[in-house]
Amino acid sequence: MAHLEYEDKFIGFIDILGFKDMIEQSEKGEGLSVNEIQEILSELEHRANIDFIRKSGPKICPTSPRLNQGLDFEVTQISDCAIVSSEISPAGLINLINHCWGAVITLLTKGILMRGYITRGNIVHHGNLVIGTGYQEAYSKEGVVTAFKIEADEKGTPFVEVDPSVLKYVNDQEDTCVKEMFGRMVESDGTVAALYPFKRLSHSFMIGGLGMPQFDPQKEKRNNDRVRQNLKTMIARLIDAVPEENTRGRRKTRHYISALEQQLKTCDKTDEMIDKLAGPVGPQ
């Protein structure tokens, strides 16, 4: 057997919320099928992402500093949770963040919430062998996440929180790609930071310039409306995923529903901007 040692690594622990209810409904034939549940669980591991990194190196910020080609990237998926770890390097961190963020937003489109914690610490992570105080910290703090809490004493909000040690590491880096991509996937509520999937859920466009296609307001409004309809679908799926009698689950979904409703308002503002750009130029 190979000699094993504890390593200082970035560590993420992510977990599906409401999994027990999902299984109970499935067994009654009233919810998702076993095959559908398996497809959901496969998003936690995202085997294609692992294989790409191990074969070709970083998927996000490929030119950022790293220690090893494969970033010492490990993912272990067990039932409704996954443990992800990577080497301590700018590329290692941003690819771990991207892996967890990808699972969060993919499951969000299916009406499923996730929670977790990303930190730095000691771990032995090889296949199903996962031990170390770093892993224990990520596991124990997953259940008491407070990011974007609505009530003062609320714990266990449906977000993947990022430890201050990880935030400090990013702040200390000079790598612009890592900083930019981290900013796209992580948001602070003023006190703590967490993965935030809602930034990507909007329509953006550019006004035509040299070598660019002419601005087509009707096309942009159609694209914006597609985003709007997708947002409405996500909200409906979140509502349908939790029975009315499950008040605890309903409290958790309101975090995401509120954020998605804000994105709907952004769609309305985008329409207004398109109308203004398409209108006559000059004094009215």
Side-chain angles (χ1 to χ4, degrees), residues 1 11 24 52-53 82 93 100 107 124 129 145 151 157 177 204 216 224 228 241 249 260 267:
M1 182 177 180
I11 304 160
E24 289 177 352
F52 181 94
I53 291 174
L93 174 59
C100 296
L107 294 193
V124 176
L129 177 61
V145 169
E151 300 167 0
T157 57
C177 180
S204 61
D216 183 343
N224 189 45
R228 180 184 287 109
L260 291 169
C267 286

Side-chain angles (χ1 to χ4, degrees), residues 13-31:
F13 180 86
I14 53 178
D15 183 44
I16 293 175
L17 294 178
F19 190 70
K20 179 181 177 183
D21 291 338
M22 188 188 301
I23 296 302
E24 289 177 352
Q25 293 299 313
S26 178
E27 289 180 352
K28 294 176 184 177
E30 299 175 356

